[in-house]
Amino acid sequence: MRQTIQPRSGTAFTIKKGELLKVIDPEGEQVADLYAFNEHDKEEFISSGRSLDYNESIQFKKSSKLYSNRSNVMFEIVEDTVEDHDFLLTPCSVDTFKHFYPDEAPVPGCHGNLVAAFSEFDIPEHHVCTTFNTFMNVEVDSAGKIAVLPPKSKAGDYTVFEAKMDMIVGLTACSAGESNNFRYKPIQFEILPANTL
Amino acid sequence: MRQTIQPRSGTAFTIKKGELLKVIDPEGEQVADLYAFNEHDKEEFISSGRSLDYNESIQFKKSSKLYSNRSNVMFEIVEDTVEDHDFLLTPCSVDTFKHFYPDEAPVPGCHGNLVAAFSEFDIPEHHVCTTFNTFMNVEVDSAGKIAVLPPKSKAGDYTVFEAKMDMIVGLTACSAGESNNFRYKPIQFEILPANTL
C-alpha cells in the first residue's frame, strides 16, 4: 500500500530483513531524508562516515550499500531511477534555518520531524545524526566547495532500498527551500515483500 | 607541555573554553583523528554533517569551524600550516581492517583507541562517530570517487584548534596504512592558554 508523507513532515515505521522500501518522488524535485536503527539494538544506526568509507564514493546508486556505525549493511539500493543522492549533510533543523535563513520563521525541519517520529520508538534526539538524503543533489567542486542544487528527480522517480536487517526507519518530505527547488511537495513510500522485484 | 601519542594509539583529555589545542605531526605524513564531547553534556558531540553543512565545503583550514550535533561551535581552526584534512570518513576500526585489509591481523584502530580512551570518561562506544581527521588527505574526484592519499603534512607541521566550549577531547596517531603512507608515526599535542597565539 502506498503511503504519503505530507510536505514538510516525517514518519517512522518498522521494516523486516528482506523487505523492500520504495521511496517515490510523486511530483519531482523533492528530497526525502532517510535514517534507520537496528530494531533490536538502537545503539546501532546508519552511518554516513562508514558508508562513504566502504562505498569509496560520495555517489550512491544501484548496488550501493548503506552501513551502520557497527559496519553492518543496513540497506542495499536495488533499483534507482535517479542515482543522485546525498550522504554528506545533516537533516535540516531549527538551527539550520537560523543559520541559513535567519529572516524566516524556523520550522522543525527534517531533524525535528525525525526526532518526533522516532520518539514513538523511545529513541533519543541525539541519536539522529547525518541522514541519507534521497534525491538530494549536492555537488562538490574541485576546490571542495559544496553546492545544494535542485534535485534531478522527475515526477514518479523512485529508489528501492532492500532491508538487510530488521529496522526502525524514519523518512521525511524535506522542509528546506534550497534542497527542494523552493517548493514543498509530498513524498510517497511503499514497503514491498521480499523478492518482489 | 608537549605530549606524545605513540604510533597506533590514542588518548583523551579535557580542554577549557578559550584554550588552544595544537596538534603537531613531528615526522610528517601522519594522521591524527580528533573527536570531542561537551564536557557538561555528553549527548553533544562533534558532527561531520553539521560541520560540512555550515562550512559549505569539505575543505577545512584556518577560520573553519567544527560544529556539534546541536549546531554549536566546538572548535575554530586558528592556525594551520597544512590546510588539508578530512571530515568525511569514520576512524579506522577492527571492521575497517577486515573490510580493506582482510589478510592482515586487525588492530583496534583509531575507533578502538578512542573508545578505550573515552571509556575513562564513561562515554559509550556508539557515541564515537565520524572523526575530524587532522592531516588526512582525501580527494573526491568529479565522479564522486574517494581516494585516500599520503598526508601533505611535513615534519613539524601543525594545526591549532581554539576550544569554543569546555570539552572532553580524544586524539589518536592513526593506525591505517593507506592513510599514513604505510608508516606508523607518533603525533604530538600541546594545550596552550587562551590568547597565547
Side-chain angles (χ1 to χ4, degrees):
Chain A
M1 194 182 71
R2 187 169 292 203
Q3 297 184 67
T4 297
I5 302 172
Q6 295 303 321
R8 298 186 117 181
S9 74
T11 188
F13 48 87
T14 57
I15 189 168
K16 295 299 175 188
K17 181 177 177 178
E19 289 183 329
L20 305 168
L21 170 64
K22 183 173 184 174
V23 179
I24 305 137
D25 182 356
E27 300 184 21
E29 297 191 333
Q30 176 61 46
V31 169
D33 286 9
L34 174 74
Y35 203 74
F37 293 85
N38 178 339
E39 185 182 1
H40 310 295
D41 178 359
K42 294 169 194 164
E43 294 182 357
E44 180 165 23
F45 40 78
I46 204 165
S47 167
S48 161
R50 291 270 165 230
S51 301
L52 294 168
D53 205 356
Y54 299 145
N55 191 51
E56 297 180 58
S57 175
I58 64 170
Q59 293 284 23
F60 290 80
K61 55 190 182 179
K62 185 173 175 175
S63 301
S64 297
K65 294 172 178 139
L66 310 186
Y67 288 84
S68 76
N69 59 321
R70 301 239 165 96
S71 295
N72 297 310
V73 180
M74 300 190 95
F75 285 113
E76 179 174 340
I77 297 176
V78 291
E79 270 198 29
D80 192 356
T81 66
V82 180
E83 302 209 325
D84 191 51
H85 314 287
D86 170 64
F87 211 177
L88 298 179
L89 304 181
T90 35
C92 59
S93 67
V94 169
D95 294 313
T96 313
F97 287 100
K98 283 183 188 162
H99 183 96
F100 287 113
Y101 313 104
D103 296 334
E104 285 184 33
V107 294
C110 289
H111 186 264
N113 291 330
L114 287 171
V115 167
F118 280 130
S119 70
E120 307 283 319
F121 294 91
D122 294 323
I123 291 169
E125 170 268 341
H126 66 284
H127 281 188
V128 181
C129 300
T130 301
T131 38
F132 182 82
N133 304 309
T134 318
F135 313 133
M136 186 172 182
N137 181 2
V138 172
E139 285 195 5
V140 179
D141 73 13
S142 59
K145 190 84 185 154
I146 291 172
V148 177
L149 303 172
K152 293 179 181 169
S153 49
K154 307 295 179 204
D157 271 339
Y158 61 87
T159 301
V160 182
F161 302 87
E162 183 180 339
K164 295 296 190 178
M165 62 172 73
D166 300 345
M167 287 180 282
I168 302 162
V169 175
L171 191 67
T172 70
C174 175
S175 305
E178 191 178 38
S179 306
N180 301 291
N181 208 9
F182 298 96
R183 196 166 71 81
Y184 306 116
K185 294 138 287 178
I187 282 290
Q188 295 181 324
F189 70 99
E190 296 172 5
I191 297 175
L192 306 168
N195 305 312
T196 47
L197 277 190
Chain B
M1 195 182 69
R2 188 169 291 204
Q3 297 184 67
T4 297
I5 302 172
Q6 294 304 319
R8 298 185 117 182
S9 73
T11 188
F13 49 87
T14 58
I15 190 169
K16 296 298 177 190
K17 180 177 178 177
E19 289 182 330
L20 306 169
L21 170 64
K22 183 173 184 175
V23 179
I24 304 137
D25 182 355
E27 300 184 21
E29 297 192 330
Q30 177 61 44
V31 169
D33 287 10
L34 174 74
Y35 203 75
F37 292 86
N38 178 338
E39 186 182 1
H40 310 296
D41 178 0
K42 294 169 194 164
E43 295 182 357
E44 180 165 24
F45 39 81
I46 202 165
S47 167
S48 161
R50 291 271 163 230
S51 301
L52 293 168
D53 205 357
Y54 299 145
N55 192 51
E56 297 181 58
S57 175
I58 65 170
Q59 293 284 23
F60 289 79
K61 54 190 182 182
K62 185 173 175 174
S63 299
S64 297
K65 295 172 178 136
L66 311 186
Y67 288 83
S68 76
N69 59 321
R70 301 240 165 96
S71 295
N72 297 310
V73 179
M74 299 189 94
F75 286 112
E76 178 173 342
I77 297 177
V78 291
E79 270 199 29
D80 192 356
T81 65
V82 180
E83 301 209 323
D84 191 51
H85 314 287
D86 170 65
F87 211 177
L88 299 179
L89 303 181
T90 35
C92 59
S93 67
V94 169
D95 295 313
T96 314
F97 287 99
K98 283 183 190 163
H99 182 96
F100 286 113
Y101 313 104
D103 297 335
E104 285 184 33
V107 295
C110 289
H111 185 264
N113 291 330
L114 287 170
V115 167
F118 280 129
S119 69
E120 306 284 317
F121 294 92
D122 294 324
I123 291 168
E125 170 267 343
H126 66 285
H127 281 189
V128 181
C129 301
T130 301
T131 37
F132 182 81
N133 304 309
T134 318
F135 313 132
M136 187 172 181
N137 181 3
V138 172
E139 284 195 7
V140 179
D141 73 14
S142 59
K145 188 86 184 152
I146 291 172
V148 177
L149 302 172
K152 293 179 181 168
S153 49
K154 308 294 180 205
D157 271 339
Y158 61 87
T159 301
V160 182
F161 303 87
E162 183 179 338
K164 295 295 189 179
M165 62 172 74
D166 299 345
M167 287 180 281
I168 303 163
V169 175
L171 190 66
T172 70
C174 175
S175 305
E178 191 178 38
S179 306
N180 301 291
N181 208 7
F182 299 96
R183 197 166 71 81
Y184 307 116
K185 294 139 284 176
I187 283 290
Q188 295 181 325
F189 70 99
E190 296 172 4
I191 297 176
L192 306 168
N195 305 312
T196 47
L197 276 190

